[in-house]
Amino acid sequence: MIGILLHLAGPMQSWGIAAAFNDRDTHRYPTRSGLLGLISAAHGHTRTTPLNEEWGELVLTVRIDRPGVRMSDFHTVGGGRRPEQTVPTSEGKRRSLDTATITSRRHYLADAAFTAALEGPAEVITGIAAALTHPVWAPYLGRRSCPAEAPLLLTPTPIERAAAELDHLPLARTAPRGKDKTTVSVEFVLEAPPGQQEACRSEELPDLPSSFHPHERAHHDRRVYLHTRDLPAALCGGYGTDYLTALHTYLESTTS
Amino acid sequence: MTSAPARYLDLHLLHTLPYANLNRDDLGSPKSVVYGGKERARVSSQCWKRAVRLEVEQRLADPAVRTRRLTKQIAEDLHTSHQWPQELAGLAGRAVAASAELGIDKAGLTVLVYLPRAAIAELVQVCLGHRDALEQALTAQDKTSEKQEDGKPKGGKGNKRDKAVDLAEVLPRKQIVELITSRNSSTALFGRMLAEVPGSKVDGAVQVAHAFTTHATEIEVDFFTAVDDLNPADLTGGGHLSQNEFTTGVFYRYASINLTDLTTNLNGDAAHALSVTEAFLDTFCTAMPQAKKNSTAPFTVPDLAYLAVRADRPVSLAAAFEKPVSPASGTGGFGAPSRQGLATYATQVNTLLGTQTLPFAGHAALQQETLDGLGQRHASFGELIGAALAAAAPEAR
């Protein structure tokens, strides 16, 4: 087992779970299907390419550096048209002029930042790292209008014990105010229960993809375990350039 | 500078907008986003992309149309420009839709299709070439309907009668489908999704991010009254009072073109891909959403354009403004610190990722300050774009 580390951050991201029709939701942290979709696109796989079976063996650990805030973006389609030009209703009738505009809401996580560890068999991880270094299609965080901050892939060369690095890698957030605040509480999302002493809760998400094919899209349930750990406040790398500098210093020290 | 092949072209703009409301939410407020813990003004990617698309189509004189009136347009062209009888022209329009399996509703409309305007003219030409077949179909229909509806007046709607003759077989189906699903610069750039016609889907080669301000903003509420011009002199007070919301700021705007995808979408024509790229980049700098243009006239040009050709992956520099920019000390204003912030951040990104995969980086700016970290300075947006394209595809130019 080797692994890679990913920095999933940007002004906006969206990880749909039960999105349907006019209300496109987002989960509060990256989904497995969203991340595997990003990796598939980086490989140049289309929606009809069968999912790589070996990806089932991958273990995903997500550290919530910054939970962000939920926001919704309001959209309109078809406003200002004559009734006969509007979208038909299910009875085949037309909407009245004042209800003819179709509106939709797309939900996003604004201001969120995550660090993910993806671990698995050496050849699979190496292949994913290569694809993310030279992606065929640009990686995005759930929607095409949400490009990922650089660097997305923190470890172009995969490393041992990637998930354990999450306890040491700079956090994409500012340090808490006050001199006595020496630790920060950070939430982790794991795919296996943490050690026995650690309190955790679990939830089930329908985000284990079995196919991305438009006509055969299917997901199975996945159980995740959420728990909160205290990390040293010194790990807080701040925003923007400050974070990149902290990251650079850290990566230099671990790879050399 | 290396000779690594260009795959992505990233355009970053800093654009100062005066008091405006280019993109509203359902309550009429300017759209916003929280970033780095602070509220920022936002213009959605869809909003600015539409403004760019309309202008790109105009520039390339290769417009695409979104329409549900395809059958009607074809019928009308045949009737008015080629003097076909109305009934035959109508049948031809329906035959085109039938060939592509586009259903027609009671009002004679199909689903919304998206195709080059030139393709409609070509569809008309196909109908002209198959007039005999269409006339035979019309005669066959009339006979069946006479038998079926003996004694009854003929209905104006063609749908029932169309079932008697297989309209989908009248015209060369393959050619029709090819025309309806054909691509032009616009569909190659922005993509197309049409569930009803398999094979029509085009994944767009352009990605546009939501634009947001580099600094914290607040929404300004503009209270206004409208005067009643015919009020008698002793009657005071307005005829109407209400409020509008506006915002101002320096926006970070980012778009990325996948050159490989664009070339593929244009059937491998590298030279065409370059000219389309040039039109897009140029237009992305100048096209503006038109909302409330008459009451705010927010027609500014970007303060800074930074262009990077990348061989590995696109790189957004949005995080340069995750920590909101503070006004410049002494002079105030967000423009200069935003430009410096972008330059500092780009330098740091290049340190972290290396520059082996960056065949070209350059900038053009309104102001004269030195911006280390954003490549060579160019005199104009056009010159910058030209230099980037020469680096991206030296053999094609």
Side-chain angles (χ1 to χ4, degrees):
Chain A
M1 289 264 284
I2 55 169
I4 50 172
L5 292 164
L6 299 161
H7 171 59
L8 304 168
M12 290 156 74
Q13 35 190 311
S14 184
W15 305 96
I17 283 276
F21 305 111
N22 294 347
D23 204 54
R24 320 294 301 186
D25 69 340
T26 177
H27 198 58
R28 68 182 187 92
Y29 50 82
T31 56
R32 191 173 165 110
S33 52
L35 204 55
L36 290 184
L38 182 154
I39 291 168
S40 288
H43 278 86
H45 295 173
T46 65
R47 290 175 186 81
T48 54
T49 310
L51 217 70
N52 191 334
E53 273 179 35
E54 290 162 331
W55 291 357
E57 296 169 41
L58 296 172
V59 180
L60 172 66
T61 311
V62 174
R63 186 182 78 181
I64 302 179
D65 290 14
R66 241 163 58 213
V69 291
R70 280 170 187 270
M71 60 170 276
S72 91
D73 194 25
F74 177 74
H75 269 254
T76 64
V77 182
R81 300 207 168 251
R82 292 209 303 275
E84 64 270 23
Q85 292 179 322
T86 58
V87 183
T89 64
S90 56
E91 296 102 36
K93 293 177 184 161
R94 297 287 161 178
R95 290 155 181 264
S96 64
L97 190 63
D98 51 347
T99 60
T101 309
I102 305 287
T103 62
S104 77
R105 281 181 189 279
R106 299 181 192 184
H107 300 263
Y108 295 87
L109 282 179
D111 206 16
F114 306 93
T115 309
L118 196 64
E119 300 177 298
E123 63 281 15
V124 182
I125 291 291
T126 314
I128 291 175
L132 290 174
T133 311
H134 288 90
V136 175
W137 288 307
Y140 53 82
L141 307 174
R143 290 210 179 100
R144 279 196 91 181
S145 56
C146 306
E149 233 168 59
L152 169 70
L153 179 63
L154 299 176
T155 49
T157 311
I159 55 168
E160 303 280 337
R161 295 170 46 79
E165 279 311 299
L166 293 179
D167 283 350
H168 310 291
L169 204 75
L171 283 156
R173 61 186 281 177
T174 48
R177 288 181 188 192
K179 280 180 191 158
D180 53 330
K181 302 244 174 74
T182 53
T183 59
V184 281
S185 292
V186 180
E187 196 176 14
F188 287 76
V189 186
L190 316 173
E191 291 190 315
Q196 284 188 336
Q197 299 89 331
E198 296 182 84
C200 80
R201 64 189 183 85
S202 74
E203 63 186 22
E204 211 160 68
L205 309 176
D207 74 337
L208 196 59
S210 60
S211 169
F212 290 128
H213 191 291
H215 303 310
E216 294 157 22
R217 183 172 293 192
H219 297 91
H220 297 295
D221 285 347
R222 175 178 71 119
R223 183 156 286 278
V224 297
Y225 301 85
L226 298 130
H227 85 120
T228 305
R229 272 209 292 278
D230 284 341
L231 295 182
L235 282 188
C236 295
Y239 291 154
T241 311
D242 297 345
Y243 170 73
L244 278 194
T245 309
L247 199 60
H248 189 205
T249 311
Y250 177 79
L251 292 174
E252 285 264 286
S253 68
T254 49
T255 51
S256 59
Chain B
M1 299 287 160
T2 64
S3 57
R7 297 178 61 203
Y8 293 99
L9 221 152
D10 290 343
L11 178 55
H12 312 262
L13 301 178
L14 288 174
H15 197 152
T16 304
L17 288 176
Y19 197 64
N21 185 352
L22 293 185
N23 189 204
R24 281 163 276 185
D25 69 8
D26 47 342
L27 303 173
S29 310
K31 285 187 174 181
S32 63
V33 62
V34 173
Y35 192 38
K38 296 285 181 207
E39 182 109 343
R40 323 288 184 95
R42 172 172 65 94
V43 177
S44 76
S45 60
Q46 301 85 358
C47 174
W48 221 307
K49 206 156 59 173
R50 181 170 193 273
V52 173
R53 174 172 74 85
L54 296 179
E55 207 169 303
V56 163
E57 288 176 355
Q58 206 170 24
R59 280 181 56 132
L60 293 172
D62 187 14
V65 274
R66 264 182 214 285
T67 182
R68 300 185 60 195
R69 313 180 65 81
L70 180 65
T71 56
K72 294 194 168 196
Q73 187 62 45
I74 289 170
E76 199 179 309
D77 286 358
L78 286 168
H79 178 63
T80 51
S81 309
H82 302 280
Q83 291 77 48
W84 280 30
Q86 204 127 34
E87 208 165 333
L88 183 63
L91 178 105
R94 296 197 300 278
V96 167
S99 296
E101 288 171 36
L102 293 172
I104 302 176
D105 68 4
K106 283 179 202 159
L109 302 175
T110 66
V111 290
L112 198 66
V113 294
Y114 182 37
L115 74 173
R117 191 177 275 284
I120 298 182
E122 289 185 50
L123 287 167
V124 168
Q125 288 301 321
V126 175
C127 294
L128 289 172
H130 291 79
R131 181 166 182 161
D132 290 349
L134 288 163
E135 274 176 346
Q136 278 168 24
L138 189 66
T139 322
Q141 270 192 352
D142 286 346
K143 276 184 189 156
T144 6
S145 65
E146 270 164 30
K147 264 185 221 162
Q148 281 172 350
E149 303 177 33
D150 206 13
K152 290 177 200 162
K154 280 183 192 173
K157 287 172 190 159
N159 289 358
K160 269 182 199 160
R161 293 186 298 145
D162 286 354
K163 282 176 192 152
V165 180
D166 191 356
L167 266 189
E169 299 303 329
V170 180
L171 295 170
R173 184 196 284 241
K174 193 164 164 266
Q175 198 183 351
I176 299 281
V177 172
E178 267 173 22
L179 281 170
I180 290 184
T181 59
S182 63
R183 301 163 175 194
N184 69 353
S185 326
S186 181
T187 48
L189 268 175
F190 299 105
R192 171 174 60 194
M193 165 80 198
L194 181 56
E196 278 75 7
V197 186
S200 72
K201 191 170 185 313
V202 183
D203 272 310
V206 159
Q207 257 181 298
V208 178
H210 293 248
F212 63 93
T213 52
T214 62
H215 50 90
T217 54
E218 278 172 21
I219 287 170
E220 305 281 335
V221 180
D222 177 33
F223 172 81
F224 69 91
T225 61
V227 178
D228 190 326
D229 289 336
L230 299 184
N231 265 358
D234 59 339
L235 197 62
T236 55
H240 174 78
L241 47 94
S242 184
Q243 56 197 30
N244 282 330
E245 295 178 23
F246 298 91
T247 187
T248 72
V250 178
F251 284 75
Y252 170 73
R253 301 172 50 206
Y254 169 71
S256 175
I257 296 189
N258 184 328
L259 288 173
T260 318
D261 276 2
L262 183 62
T263 313
T264 311
N265 284 355
L266 292 167
N267 302 319
D269 188 340
H272 191 190
L274 275 193
S275 65
V276 171
T277 303
E278 187 170 17
F280 173 80
L281 294 173
D282 215 32
T283 308
F284 193 70
C285 292
T286 53
M288 290 281 277
Q290 301 289 303
K292 287 206 177 279
K293 62 173 178 177
N294 286 356
S295 45
T296 57
F299 309 128
T300 51
V301 293
D303 308 20
L304 168 74
Y306 167 55
L307 241 173
V309 177
R310 299 197 64 96
D312 52 352
R313 49 154 295 182
V315 172
S316 156
L317 300 176
F321 308 110
E322 189 178 23
K323 186 200 271 179
V325 166
S326 310
S329 58
T331 52
F334 293 108
S338 297
R339 294 189 289 276
Q340 286 301 339
L342 189 75
T344 310
Y345 186 81
T347 308
Q348 189 60 272
V349 165
N350 287 343
T351 310
L352 206 55
L353 296 180
T355 50
Q356 304 92 312
T357 49
L358 191 66
F360 174 89
H363 69 279
L366 289 176
Q367 293 76 10
Q368 286 303 320
E369 74 229 284
T370 317
L371 293 164
D372 290 334
L374 300 182
Q376 204 195 324
R377 188 186 171 105
H378 294 264
S380 66
F381 294 149
E383 205 175 281
L384 170 68
I385 292 165
L389 291 181
E395 70 287 346
R397 290 175 78 85

